[in-house]
Amino acid sequence: MFDFLEGYDLLAAFWTTVQLALYSAIGSLIWGTILAAMRVSPVPVMRVFGTAYVNLMRNTPLTIVLLFTSLGLNQTLEVDLFGGESDAVNFQLAVLGLTAYTATFVCESLRAGINTVPVGQAEAARALGLSFTQVLFLVVLPQAFRAVIAPLANVLIALTKNTTVAAAISVAEAAALMKEMIEMESHAIFLVFAVFAFGFVALTLPTGLLLGWVAKRAAVKR
Amino acid sequence: MKFRRTTAAAAAVLALSATATACGGGGDDDKIKIGIKFDQPGLGLKTPDGKFTGFDVDVAKYVAKELGYDEKDIKFVQAPSAERENLISRGDVKFVAATYSINDDRKKKVSFAGPYFLAHQDLLVRKDDNSIKDAKDLNSKKLCSVTGSTSAQNVHDDFAPKADLQEFGGYSECLTGLENEAVDALTTDDSILAGYASQDEHKGKFKLTGLKLSDENYGIGIKKGDTELQGKINKALEKMVKDGSWDKAVKANFGPANYKYEPAPKITEKS
């Protein structure tokens, strides 16, 4: 029944999906934290930049963001990032686009987390003579992160599924292989769908369960 | 209580939409539904004002007329490549004329009439580029095609395994790269390439290499085993070639690209 899978490297395709999700997750966690810090900072220019970036980026369709990295940055402006074969460049462009987009959601989750930390804590830290950065990174953010693990898990799951858009700029991940198999093995189209749907469930369900468990353990009891 | 009310409302909406679709599906036996591409200039294209143009469309109209339907009774349905078999086997369309190459895998699920056109996989390059004379030249070139397409597969597997192949979501993205010299060639069936090259915004920028990398016999997809319909469509196609409408349709749709098309192929799909 599953003989149509022969000759296709399903694992390699899903491995690319996992790598895309992993690199973009790390990237967007870092960039998202910086954005969140900007949005709560006392410097007006940073607040304006953070707000403008988040609102612009999260309201732009991801397909357009990724196509821009490829058609705009790479093909027109000839930006090669870390270089390499065009497969590698496309992968890097996809990570860049996914990071730029997902960071906005990480930022907004974090900002919600910051709001769960009682104002008294920041005031007490200020009274001790800590600077804004020290207050943020030593007192507020550690508690904020623990409050938003579950929402961040949602962002990560959404990111995993969003990696399928990278097929549009020639990254050989799961969705690209699915398109290939639908074209070549059209007699088994529903089985092809089922296989890929199962693949994504296998990636996202454990993520949700694991991070849900972590969220319960790490939450600050108030 | 509030929750229950929402559920009831949701159920009502679902039921309503179900009946709505049911209404749309039945009760138009005097109409004929035909699957074509909506996004392929020269073959099957839905224009902004809702009209349909292209060679596949002309063939579909001719065949429908021979089957006894008025032009106003034709309803064109979008048939993306991946959906074609399902549209036919579910009975959503009477037949599909959408750059549908006849091959054995597809014949497992549908039957074909025709072929009505012989296309070849080819390359579209910039007008001043003469560096590709043979399929082997591709190994050192940047090539562009559409994710999951048969043409991309052929390059991988047969012509030039070492070619740097970029696969985008659509051919338009490839054309941007081709114009900016980010890729050297765009590959797919020459009929499709000719359609893009003769679009107003691209006229005079690109040319076909004429390498004839494969044979693609476009057929008309019909329900598996419907030999009666197959015979009727074949007769219509033969008539179309004989009375000159076929030549006229080819010239009208592929003319501006200087595309050297093949003569009408012999009907092979008989039962």
Side-chain angles (χ1 to χ4, degrees):
Chain A
M1 184 165 121
F2 285 99
D3 48 352
F4 64 92
L5 289 173
E6 256 169 61
Y8 296 99
D9 202 343
L10 208 60
L11 283 181
F14 270 106
W15 177 232
T16 310
T17 297
V18 171
Q19 280 179 307
L20 270 178
L22 218 59
Y23 286 122
S24 312
I26 296 167
S28 48
L29 205 60
I30 296 169
W31 180 222
T33 311
I34 297 172
L35 280 174
M38 279 187 190
R39 292 206 66 175
V40 298
S41 85
V43 187
V45 177
M46 286 191 161
R47 279 206 305 272
V48 169
F49 172 80
T51 315
Y53 177 90
V54 166
N55 281 317
L56 198 72
M57 201 50 107
R58 73 170 168 189
N59 290 309
T60 309
L62 180 58
T63 318
I64 292 176
V65 175
L66 285 189
L67 274 180
F68 172 76
T69 62
S70 180
L71 296 181
L73 286 183
N74 181 257
Q75 298 199 356
T76 309
L77 298 174
E78 296 179 10
V79 175
D80 272 348
L81 297 181
F82 300 106
E85 294 274 305
S86 67
D87 281 354
V89 172
N90 286 331
F91 181 86
Q92 292 158 15
L93 289 168
V95 170
L96 176 75
L98 285 167
T99 300
Y101 178 80
T102 314
T104 63
F105 297 97
V106 171
C107 164
E108 292 303 274
S109 298
L110 262 183
R111 223 156 56 88
I114 290 171
N115 286 333
T116 67
V117 181
V119 192
Q121 300 230 358
E123 284 169 352
R126 284 286 292 163
L128 287 172
L130 300 186
S131 70
F132 169 76
T133 0
Q134 283 173 320
V135 175
L136 191 67
F137 285 94
L138 295 177
V139 179
V140 178
L141 273 183
Q143 299 186 61
F145 262 112
R146 290 167 70 176
V148 293
I149 292 173
L152 282 183
N154 287 341
V155 174
L156 181 60
I157 287 170
L159 168 65
T160 311
K161 295 186 286 183
N162 283 344
T163 56
T164 50
V165 179
I169 61 163
S170 196
V171 178
E173 45 68 70
L177 183 65
M178 185 173 87
K179 277 190 192 141
E180 189 183 318
M181 287 175 72
I182 287 172
E183 172 86 13
M184 307 301 280
E185 314 289 327
S186 49
H187 57 282
I189 197 164
F190 289 110
L191 273 176
V192 172
F193 274 131
V195 165
F196 282 91
F198 175 79
F200 274 96
V201 169
L203 286 183
T204 53
L205 201 61
T207 314
L209 291 176
L210 178 75
L211 288 178
W213 176 75
V214 173
K216 251 186 220 147
R217 304 268 316 215
V220 184
K221 300 280 181 298
R222 292 193 203 280
Chain B
M1 188 59 217
K2 196 175 173 205
F3 175 70
R4 201 177 293 163
R5 205 180 298 151
T6 357
T7 336
V13 169
L14 269 179
L16 267 179
S17 56
T19 39
T21 32
C23 281
D28 44 13
D29 287 337
D30 48 333
K31 297 234 162 155
I32 180 169
K33 286 188 189 163
I34 304 173
I36 56 161
K37 292 265 174 79
F38 278 18
D39 56 355
Q40 215 122 74
L43 287 153
L45 185 73
K46 187 175 182 178
T47 55
D49 55 354
K51 289 203 182 84
F52 298 95
T53 63
F55 180 67
D56 279 343
V57 175
D58 291 344
V59 170
K61 278 184 187 161
Y62 193 94
V63 170
K65 196 184 81 198
E66 291 301 306
L67 292 177
Y69 294 93
D70 263 352
E71 197 172 320
K72 64 177 192 319
D73 292 331
I74 301 174
K75 190 168 179 286
F76 286 112
V77 176
Q78 186 166 20
S81 294
E83 273 287 306
R84 292 178 297 205
E85 283 83 7
N86 282 318
L87 283 174
I88 295 168
S89 54
R90 276 201 308 255
D92 288 355
V93 294
K94 186 106 175 171
F95 63 81
V96 162
T99 63
Y100 207 1
S101 303
I102 300 171
N103 70 31
D104 290 338
D105 251 358
R106 286 169 179 162
K107 277 198 236 172
K108 284 180 198 163
K109 250 197 143 171
V110 297
S111 290
F112 284 97
Y116 60 90
F117 194 76
L118 174 59
H120 305 284
Q121 186 173 346
D122 200 355
L123 304 166
L124 191 72
V125 294
R126 286 180 294 278
K127 187 123 213 172
D128 52 358
D129 185 357
N130 292 314
S131 60
I132 302 175
K133 299 210 167 51
D134 186 77
K136 276 188 221 108
D137 294 337
L138 292 174
N139 278 322
S140 58
K141 294 281 180 189
K142 275 199 172 177
L143 210 57
C144 190
S145 192
V146 166
T147 315
S149 64
T150 322
S151 319
Q153 286 311 300
N154 290 345
V155 173
H156 267 306
D157 301 344
D158 303 330
F159 315 136
K162 281 197 226 109
D164 189 351
L165 182 66
Q166 301 253 344
E167 292 176 59
F168 284 100
Y171 294 111
S172 313
E173 284 103 293
C174 288
L175 285 173
T176 314
L178 190 58
E179 214 181 331
N180 292 337
E181 312 201 358
V183 295
D184 300 313
L186 159 57
T187 184
T188 183
D189 296 354
D190 48 11
S191 52
I192 299 173
L193 293 174
Y196 276 102
S198 42
Q199 271 185 307
D200 282 339
E201 61 265 42
H202 299 129
K203 239 176 231 170
K205 286 184 193 161
F206 309 117
K207 66 175 181 195
L208 288 157
T209 56
L211 284 180
K212 298 191 180 171
L213 297 168
S214 74
D215 290 335
E216 308 289 339
N217 278 299
Y218 292 167
I220 289 184
I222 52 174
K223 202 163 228 162
K224 194 166 168 69
D226 192 345
T227 49
E228 197 194 328
L229 183 62
Q230 188 183 43
K232 278 188 199 160
I233 294 180
N234 281 340
K235 207 173 278 167
L237 291 175
E238 270 164 4
K239 192 175 162 198
M240 187 176 180
V241 174
K242 210 174 279 169
D243 71 6
S245 326
W246 190 90
D247 273 307
K248 227 164 69 190
V250 172
K251 282 210 184 82
N253 290 300
F254 302 123
N258 250 338
Y259 167 43
K260 288 177 201 68
Y261 57 90
E262 301 267 350
K266 279 226 156 51
I267 305 278
T268 53
E269 297 302 305
K270 289 174 188 155
S271 41

